[in-house]
Amino acid sequence: MKRTLIRSAAAIALLCLGSSLAFPQNVTGSITGVVRDPSGSVVPSINVVAINEGTGARFEGMADTDGQYTLRALPIGVYSLTAETQGFKRFETRGIRLQVNEFARVDINLAIGATTETVTVSSQVVTVDTTTAVLKSVVDQKRIEDLPLNGRNPTQLMRLIVGTATDWRADTTSGTT
C-alpha cells in the first residue's frame, strides 16, 4: 500500500514537471508601436486592430496615454493592422509577418481627414529589435527543405545563425562565440 502511494505521488510529480517544462514553448509574437499625428504628437486612446490574413482572427488593443500600443500573444502568421479615430483618416498596413517570439514594431502615422478616407501603407515591415542586444533568427521552412544537410542533422541548421559556434569535440552547436 505504501509503495503504491509513493509510486502514485512520483507519477503525479513527473506529470506536473513534464507539463511545466512544456509550458514555456512560445509560438506567438507581438506587434507594438506608437501612434502619432502629422505634427509628431502622440495620439492616445486609439483603437488598434490586427487581423491574421490567413485565418481572419481579429485581435484588438488600445493605445495608452503615451500613444503606445502592444498586441501580445498573436499566433505566428501574416497580419494586417488598422487604426482609426475621429478627425483622422483610417490607417491600414498589410503584410506584417510575425515569427516565433518576435516583436514587430509598426509605428502608426495618422493623417488628418475624415474617418471614411483610408491611408493604406504598403511596405515591408523591418523587424529590428532595438530594445535588447539579443541576436535571433528563424530558419524558415524553405531553407530547411532546400539546404543540403549532412545526414539530415537538424542541429546543423543552427550554424546559419550569426553568433553560433560549433563544438567539434561533441558535434554540438552553442550560442556562444
Side-chain angles (χ1 to χ4, degrees):
M1 178 69 178
K2 190 174 181 180
R3 278 193 168 172
T4 306
L5 185 63
I6 292 173
R7 286 183 184 162
S8 299
I12 291 172
L14 283 175
L15 285 173
C16 291
L17 179 64
S19 65
S20 68
L21 291 175
F23 182 72
Q25 297 172 356
N26 191 1
V27 292
T28 61
S30 299
I31 300 175
T32 187
V34 178
V35 183
R36 297 185 189 277
D37 66 9
S39 69
S41 299
V42 296
V43 180
S45 304
I46 185 172
N47 191 35
V48 179
V49 178
I51 298 174
N52 187 313
E53 293 179 5
T55 64
R58 181 181 173 99
F59 302 90
E60 294 187 37
M62 183 77 71
D64 62 13
T65 56
D66 295 329
Q68 297 182 1
Y69 72 93
T70 301
L71 301 171
R72 299 183 193 280
L74 302 175
I76 59 173
V78 179
Y79 285 85
S80 62
L81 187 75
T82 60
E84 58 186 326
T85 191
Q86 194 169 9
F88 294 98
K89 294 178 184 177
R90 183 173 184 261
F91 174 88
E92 182 177 344
T93 186
R94 297 179 183 273
I96 303 167
R97 180 171 299 280
L98 277 183
Q99 300 286 355
V100 175
N101 202 22
E102 178 179 52
F103 277 84
R105 182 166 184 96
V106 181
D107 290 333
I108 298 173
N109 296 310
L110 297 175
I112 296 175
T115 54
T116 56
E117 300 177 70
T118 303
V119 175
T120 303
V121 178
S122 28
S123 66
Q124 185 67 25
V125 175
V126 179
T127 54
V128 177
D129 188 0
T130 59
T131 58
T132 65
V134 175
L135 294 174
K136 57 185 174 182
S137 181
V138 174
V139 180
D140 59 357
Q141 182 175 350
K142 181 167 177 42
R143 287 196 282 178
I144 291 172
E145 292 172 353
D146 293 347
L147 289 174
L149 295 175
N150 187 11
R152 302 298 297 170
N153 183 353
T155 59
Q156 291 179 347
L157 293 171
M158 288 189 289
R159 295 181 190 160
L160 299 173
I161 310 302
V162 175
T164 57
T166 302
D167 183 357
W168 297 105
R169 296 169 297 180
D171 191 32
T172 60
T173 305
S174 70
T176 59
T177 55

